[in-house]
Amino acid sequence: AQSVTQLDSHVSVSEGTPVLLRCNYSSSYSPSLFWYVQHPNKGLQLLLKYTSAATLVKGINGFEAEFKKSETSFHLTKPSAHMSDAAEYFCVVSDLVDTNAGKSTFGDGTTLTVKP
Amino acid sequence: KAGVTQTPRYLIKTRGQQVTLSCSPISGHRSVSWYQQTPGQGLQFLFEYFSETQRNKGNFPGRFSGRQFSNSRSEMNVSTLELGDSALYLCASSKSGTGSTGELFFGEGSRLTVL
């Protein structure tokens, strides 16, 4: 069984300051981990993914995430927030067995607010 | 490569009516998943189809149903609409199977309003 917990439902930062969105997961097998972003009334867009290659993953728009197996974490970071980063972010886990079975487990989402 | 296409993008229905939403996946993708997103409940999984078979199902009443065609296009239907069915309905496609990473590709969604 797999699960994912996004530790903050809301995060507020000032423009130009760092962003940290936290995600912890549990998985029985080697997981694939994803971060998706959703702007209002839009579909979800892939930011980045970890699929058992490099543990530090770089994504679009300056975001990156580090897979830490010992801490079962996959936190999303960005050095400097931009107003356009305001959105909802979802952490998703899918292990090998569940990927083949078409299953993904979503976190509850984190709403990021960026203040001018 | 064309993305996931959902139609219609917006629709308004009244209680008791039914609605059918359509999703065309990325070419070559055989798995299509449906999600309901509301402000109160967040993103909830409805069901997933693979090769015309429902493979996974979320915890929704039988009023919610779906199907997948041989070209992988999928439809979902909601019968006897209730006010609480007002939501953004999202469709996602993926390759699934051997070699897949589990990455999901989402459409823009269908915004349903029930009056």
Side-chain angles (χ1 to χ4, degrees):
Chain A
Q2 56 191 15
S3 67
V4 60
T5 302
Q6 292 185 241
L7 298 169
D8 306 291
S9 57
H10 292 87
V11 170
S12 180
V13 302
S14 297
E15 191 175 20
T17 64
V19 175
L20 170 63
L21 305 183
R22 299 182 294 165
C23 172
N24 286 355
Y25 71 93
S26 69
S27 176
S28 303
Y29 304 95
S30 297
S32 293
L33 291 156
F34 308 83
W35 277 99
Y36 292 86
V37 61
Q38 185 184 29
H39 289 93
N41 293 311
K42 295 287 189 181
L44 280 68
Q45 178 187 16
L46 182 71
L47 271 179
L48 49 79
K49 63 183 176 184
Y50 166 78
T51 56
S52 75
T55 56
L56 182 61
V57 181
K58 293 188 184 300
I60 61 172
N61 301 334
F63 284 94
E64 62 181 39
E66 186 170 7
F67 173 70
K68 292 187 176 180
K69 188 175 181 178
S70 60
E71 299 176 11
T72 60
S73 69
F74 190 58
H75 300 336
L76 181 70
T77 61
K78 183 173 180 178
S80 175
H82 191 273
M83 295 297 291
S84 61
D85 294 329
E88 187 159 19
Y89 292 79
F90 292 92
C91 182
V92 179
V93 62
S94 181
D95 63 34
L96 178 62
V97 172
D98 284 350
T99 295
N100 288 340
K103 292 181 182 177
S104 299
T105 302
F106 281 71
D108 290 335
T110 298
T111 300
L112 175 65
T113 300
V114 181
K115 297 175 290 186
Chain B
K1 202 175 198 182
V4 177
T5 303
Q6 290 188 247
T7 57
R9 289 293 316 282
Y10 302 91
L11 66 167
I12 299 173
K13 294 286 187 178
T14 56
R15 280 180 297 174
Q17 287 187 312
Q18 73 165 16
V19 66
T20 299
L21 308 178
S22 178
C23 173
S24 293
I26 290 173
S27 178
H29 286 190
R30 297 165 64 190
S31 169
V32 174
S33 303
W34 288 90
Y35 299 82
Q36 182 197 63
Q37 188 175 35
T38 61
Q41 299 296 319
L43 192 65
Q44 294 187 284
F45 172 72
L46 281 157
F47 29 64
E48 184 251 356
Y49 285 85
F50 180 79
S51 293
E52 302 179 64
T53 301
Q54 186 182 88
R55 190 166 56 168
N56 298 292
K57 189 178 189 304
N59 189 27
F60 277 81
R63 300 186 296 108
F64 292 81
S65 63
R67 59 178 175 168
Q68 186 181 34
F69 302 95
S70 59
N71 62 357
S72 294
R73 188 177 72 86
S74 177
E75 289 181 347
M76 67 162 284
N77 184 78
V78 188
S79 62
T80 319
L81 284 166
E82 301 176 0
L83 295 179
D85 297 332
S86 295
L88 181 66
Y89 290 88
L90 292 165
C91 164
S93 75
S94 69
K95 287 185 180 178
S96 193
T98 304
S100 171
T101 63
E103 180 179 348
L104 297 170
F105 295 79
F106 284 84
E108 293 283 277
S110 292
R111 169 71 65 183
L112 171 64
T113 301
V114 182
L115 302 176

